[in-house]
Amino acid sequence: MTSMPAARLAETFVKLADTLVGDFDVDEFLRFLASRARETLSADASGVVLADLSGHLRTVADCVGKTSSAPLWELLRADGPSMECYRTGTPIAVPDVDQHNNRWNRFLQEARSAGFAALHAVPLRLRDTTIGALTLFHARRGTPDSEDARIAEAMAEAAAIALLQQRAVQREETLAKQLQAAFTSRILIEQAKGVLAERLGTTVDAAFTALREHARRSNQRLTELANAVLSGSTDLPRE
């Protein structure tokens, strides 16, 4: 059962929620999650697997002593309890790493070699969306009590909510930038069409056709050519 003071536990959840900052760093956030989970739940080590927007997996571990260099951490994103927890979105407890499990033999062998006897994985999940898993390792056999299990799941869910919120903000910012870039490009092209129509003594539609054809022949982006026309560095020949 956790012995962390209520004030520090509350501070942990506040920090897990604080992702809407300009200098947010995902790896630093994951290290904080792993560290506080290990401390809060009196684990001997912890590891986090997170899938980014492209599906690429990143891992972070928090451990002490000889376990810090164990090959186990590279296996967090291999076939084992952590990845099954992520794939299924359900908690997985392994009360004894000596148990026989053909699917996880390599992972459990590395856990045993690193000095661990049991582990408990909980998903980083919000409703039907799972983006990773938090795994706690213990030197003693056994399963977490109900209170520790609830706290581990609450920490993992809080982290998932924060990360998904941060991703949503990133997507909105990216979309806003894309829309602004498209709007700016449209303005440049419209201005270039007018300037070119006047220079060539033709209609705006004919000027746009000439602009587009020249961009294709010269392998230029239409926006770049429009900007060059406006600056006077490029002048399309009369047909």
Side-chain angles (χ1 to χ4, degrees), residues 30-50:
L30 296 180
R31 283 192 292 270
F32 174 80
L33 171 62
S35 175
R36 283 298 175 91
R38 179 184 61 80
E39 177 188 354
T40 303
L41 299 166
S42 301
D44 295 286
S46 63
V48 182
V49 174
L50 177 71

Side-chain angles (χ1 to χ4, degrees), residues 52-230:
D52 62 21
L53 291 173
S54 64
H56 179 265
L57 295 172
R58 63 208 304 168
T59 59
V60 167
D62 182 81
C63 42
V64 294
K66 65 177 183 178
T67 60
S68 61
S69 60
L72 176 67
W73 311 124
E74 289 301 317
L75 292 179
L76 277 176
R77 53 187 168 193
D79 193 22
S82 299
M83 284 303 297
E84 181 151 331
C85 176
Y86 160 58
R87 286 193 294 264
T88 63
T90 57
I92 293 177
V94 180
D96 184 354
V97 298
D98 287 328
Q99 70 180 25
H100 296 290
N101 187 315
N102 292 331
R103 290 176 302 156
W104 302 339
N105 274 346
R106 186 182 174 202
F107 187 96
L108 297 181
Q109 181 180 353
E110 289 294 347
R112 187 166 49 249
S113 299
F116 301 121
L119 61 93
H120 176 218
V122 292
L124 270 63
R125 181 188 63 201
L126 175 61
R127 292 186 284 276
D128 295 330
T129 302
T130 303
I131 58 175
L134 166 66
T135 306
L136 300 158
F137 296 84
H138 300 271
R140 299 177 62 179
R141 294 178 177 83
T143 56
D145 61 35
S146 59
E147 180 180 336
D148 280 0
R150 285 196 299 271
I151 291 175
E153 290 177 16
M155 292 182 74
E157 183 176 350
I161 292 171
L163 287 166
L164 288 170
Q165 178 178 252
Q166 198 271 337
R167 288 180 180 183
V169 171
Q170 276 189 323
R171 283 194 292 269
E172 289 178 2
E173 290 177 346
T174 299
L175 178 59
K177 289 178 181 178
Q178 290 172 341
L179 290 173
Q180 182 59 50
F183 181 66
T184 301
S185 295
R186 188 71 255 170
I187 291 175
L188 285 174
I189 292 169
E190 290 298 324
Q191 290 176 336
K193 283 163 58 176
V195 169
L196 197 58
E198 184 178 352
R199 288 180 187 172
L200 299 179
T202 186
T203 65
V204 171
D205 287 343
F208 177 65
T209 299
L211 190 70
R212 184 178 56 198
E213 292 302 318
H214 187 82
R216 288 175 179 172
R217 288 196 300 269
S218 59
N219 197 28
Q220 283 181 279
R221 292 178 57 201
L222 193 58
T223 304
E224 293 175 352
L225 180 58
N227 193 48
V229 168
L230 290 172

